Amino acid sequence: MNKIDLKNIKEYLNKEITVKGFVDTVRDLQYVQFLIIRDNTSKLQITIEKNEENTKLNEIVSSLSLESTIEAKGTLLESPAVKLNGVEFIPTQIIVTSKCNGELPINYKNPQSSQLDTKLDYRFLDLRHAKNNLMFKVQTTFVNAMREFLLEKEFIEIHTPKLIGAASESGADVFEISYFDNKAYLSQSPQFYKQMAMASGFEKIFEVGPVFRAEKSFTNRHTTEFTGFDIEFSYIDSYEDVMKLEEELLIYALTKVKEKYGDEIQTLFKKDIIIPQKSFPVIKLEDLYNELEKRYKYKIPNEEKTDLTTEAEKLSYKFSMEEYGSEFLFVTDYKPEKRPFYHMRKNGMPQGYDLIWKGVEITTGAQREHRYDVLKEQAEEKGLDKDVEFYLDFFKYGCPPHGGFGIGVDRVTMLLLGMSTIKESMFLFRGPNRLTP
Ligand code: ATP
């Protein structure tokens, strides 16, 4: 690659080089022109004196529209008076590689000036904002760190199909599509195939891939397509082994993000990345409701206490900070009617958890039921045994005890950077009313 990243520009002092980027600002003064270009890494000042020798360059700059892309050949000089890195670039040639035609439909530099929907319509411009740019560098580092952590432990990365023949799990919230002369569905979770890998003796696997949910949710944290980071591993003793792995994984990934981007996140998002300590606090759902009632007078009907309501999730953040000084809280002992049939149960109690970060669920994890007869019975109880016959087969011929969890990448990005909605923490949001761009 022969493009020089502007953040490394100082390596090229006094050398003849070519620089490339978007035109960020132009100041066309009486005796001099200042042009700031921007790439994905930094900005650079290009200085052109107005004189006869520079007539051609001066003309190009005078007619340059902001947000065009250019290439400039010239020399980089040290110039302590220049605010941008103390250097300026003196060009001998400027080529406009792409002209920005007219005014931008949104002023992406001032996000407050446009409605969210308009920003989403012009997401390709919205993403030019330095914050958005940083967001995806942070997400890359976060996801990559998780991958690194797992590869170190010799997990295998798998890629499961997203086109499936039977509605998985419950059938209620999958997208149906036509598939030649038949119907197919978009996968709402890699759950069954992750477990198939356990039956195949893979022992430790993960997958990063799209997840589809046909839910008409209009919250700040639901989308109809998101990226799931899913993990499954064998020979566990209980779901506590699953929680322990998740804890270590998150501590590792957050540490990597903080090391690499902590300062920039502080500057642009005014957020501190807090590295959690082992072990994250754990509380039973019922005990949590009792605490919320005792401390904050939060009251809901008993029949709703089988699951954590959105409001209770939010309050649990307050509780967790007050009681444990922790942004993370594991909640266990959900009632079986609110948990999938494949969660193992002990004395009727599902052996799983939700992980709440800053008052929002980011994960469901569990020990899975690996005993064929029990699993079949639990599927029947939910009226699913016919739909999941192919899945039940995985457990007929030996399958080790196992468990796992799934993290919503876009939701985590939202929470990590303190964004107010998932619509702005995904590359492109998909919702009940949005399928474009
Ligand atoms: P919720 O209760 O928030 O709707 P869920 O219980 O349906 O979530 P799971 O099926 O357990 O979630 O999915 C695992 C993780 O995937 C969640 O903890 C969350 O981080 C993420 N997730 C789930 N549904 C969505 C969605 N519609 N949009 C974005 N992320 C989601």
Side-chain angles (χ1 to χ4, degrees):
M1 279 224 303
N2 60 2
K3 179 201 164 261
I4 295 169
D5 281 344
L6 295 181
K7 70 170 183 197
N8 300 327
I9 198 83
K10 280 189 151 177
E11 293 169 19
Y12 301 89
L13 269 179
N14 302 317
K15 292 203 177 116
E16 171 141 314
I17 52 171
T18 299
V19 293
K20 301 174 187 185
F22 282 92
V23 176
D24 199 61
T25 56
V26 179
R27 278 169 68 213
D28 200 344
L29 306 176
Q30 195 175 359
Y31 301 111
V32 67
Q33 293 170 316
F34 296 113
L35 175 61
I36 308 280
I37 62 164
R38 168 191 92 234
D39 75 358
N40 188 33
T41 66
S42 191
K43 291 182 183 176
L44 171 71
Q45 176 176 309
I46 300 179
T47 310
I48 310 114
E49 279 187 23
K50 280 191 169 165
N51 57 36
E52 236 165 73
E53 218 177 284
N54 281 343
T55 316
K56 225 174 136 205
L57 290 178
N58 295 144
E59 272 171 19
I60 294 174
V61 175
S62 296
S63 63
L64 205 52
S65 47
L66 296 183
E67 301 296 319
S68 296
T69 63
I70 63 160
E71 266 181 43
K73 201 190 261 182
T75 312
L76 186 75
L77 300 182
E78 190 137 37
S79 189
V82 176
K83 273 196 220 137
L84 275 174
N85 294 318
V87 292
E88 65 184 331
F89 190 77
I90 311 299
T92 51
Q93 188 189 50
I94 294 178
I95 298 170
V96 180
T97 48
S98 162
K99 188 168 179 295
C100 171
N101 293 305
E103 205 178 314
L104 302 193
I106 58 165
N107 177 3
Y108 77 84
K109 286 186 182 175
N110 179 9
Q112 263 46 289
S113 66
S114 309
Q115 300 282 342
L116 179 55
D117 260 320
T118 317
K119 285 195 281 185
L120 295 181
D121 287 341
Y122 294 102
R123 186 68 167 156
F124 64 102
L125 296 175
D126 188 41
L127 288 176
R128 289 187 191 178
H129 193 289
K131 271 173 104 170
N132 286 334
N133 207 294
L134 176 61
M135 184 159 62
F136 290 96
K137 290 180 186 170
V138 167
Q139 192 181 76
T140 303
T141 300
F142 185 79
V143 172
N144 194 46
M146 293 204 286
R147 181 178 257 128
E148 204 175 84
F149 176 90
L150 295 168
L151 292 179
E152 180 63 28
K153 295 189 181 308
E154 301 197 33
F155 274 66
I156 295 173
E157 180 166 11
I158 61 168
H159 305 280
T160 64
K162 304 307 158 199
L163 281 173
I164 52 174
S168 60
E169 298 192 25
S170 70
D173 46 8
V174 290
F175 288 109
E176 187 182 295
I177 53 171
S178 69
Y179 192 74
F180 306 110
D181 296 330
N182 283 312
K183 278 183 199 155
Y185 305 90
L186 294 178
S187 166
Q188 56 152 244
S189 149
Q191 187 57 38
F192 291 173
Y193 300 118
K194 288 201 296 177
Q195 292 187 257
M196 181 186 119
M198 299 302 102
S200 303
F202 280 26
E203 284 190 28
K204 298 177 274 189
I205 63 98
F206 72 98
E207 170 166 23
V208 195
V211 176
F212 302 92
R213 299 279 164 100
E215 291 161 354
K216 280 205 169 157
S217 297
F218 296 92
T219 71
N220 70 338
R221 59 220 171 100
H222 286 96
T223 149
T224 49
E225 179 180 354
F226 64 94
T227 301
F229 199 114
D230 273 273
I231 289 164
E232 203 72 26
F233 57 110
S234 286
Y235 302 112
I236 63 170
D237 293 324
S238 83
Y239 68 97
E240 284 168 6
D241 292 342
V242 182
M243 298 201 299
K244 194 158 159 278
L245 184 87
E246 178 162 20
E247 230 169 62
E248 286 174 12
L249 177 76
L250 288 171
I251 292 171
Y252 183 86
L254 288 174
T255 305
K256 289 284 170 182
V257 166
K258 188 166 179 138
E259 275 169 18
K260 192 154 183 193
Y261 292 114
D263 292 344
E264 276 183 71
I265 291 171
Q266 182 54 253
T267 308
L268 289 180
F269 288 90
K270 312 275 176 284
K271 282 270 165 254
D272 223 4
I273 306 296
I274 296 166
I275 309 298
Q277 301 287 316
K278 268 209 296 205
S279 308
F280 299 177
V282 187
I283 191 164
K284 290 185 178 143
L285 184 64
E286 192 180 336
D287 295 342
L288 178 60
Y289 270 117
N290 288 340
E291 288 292 343
L292 299 185
E293 199 167 326
K294 202 166 75 192
R295 290 177 190 229
Y296 318 116
K297 317 261 174 290
Y298 180 69
K299 258 185 151 2
I300 57 161
N302 275 342
E303 58 274 20
E304 284 182 44
K305 289 185 180 168
T306 49
D307 202 357
L308 208 51
T309 63
T310 306
E311 173 136 28
E313 260 181 30
K314 268 191 213 147
L315 272 180
S316 74
Y317 181 31
K318 195 166 175 212
F319 162 72
S320 183
M321 288 304 288
E322 274 176 23
E323 181 67 19
Y324 314 106
S326 170
E327 290 184 342
F328 290 88
L329 180 66
F330 281 124
V331 182
T332 63
D333 293 64
Y334 286 77
K335 297 284 180 288
E337 53 274 28
K338 292 291 171 186
R339 301 312 253 186
F341 73 93
Y342 52 80
H343 283 197
M344 183 179 270
R345 296 176 198 164
K346 223 180 224 170
N347 303 324
M349 189 56 84
Q351 299 297 292
Y353 65 89
D354 274 3
L355 178 58
I356 317 293
W357 187 24
K358 303 183 190 180
V360 178
E361 179 206 314
I362 58 163
T363 293
T364 299
Q367 172 157 15
R368 322 299 187 186
E369 182 49 74
H370 62 282
R371 296 161 298 182
Y372 175 78
D373 295 337
V374 185
L375 187 61
K376 188 164 185 295
E377 205 173 293
Q378 290 185 183
E380 272 164 16
E381 189 189 290
K382 299 233 179 199
L384 288 171
D385 50 319
K386 283 280 163 295
D387 287 345
V388 299
E389 236 163 36
F390 77 99
Y391 163 76
L392 293 174
D393 271 356
F394 301 159
F395 303 89
K396 272 187 183 162
Y397 309 101
C399 178
H402 61 275
F405 58 93
I407 302 180
V409 170
D410 320 84
R411 218 183 254 189
V412 164
T413 305
M414 170 180 91
L415 295 167
L416 184 60
L417 298 176
M419 310 290 294
S420 57
T421 166
I422 199 166
K423 294 180 182 178
E424 295 198 274
S425 71
M426 320 183 57
F427 184 67
L428 278 173
F429 170 71
R430 287 289 178 258
N433 297 329
R434 182 168 284 278
L435 278 170
T436 57

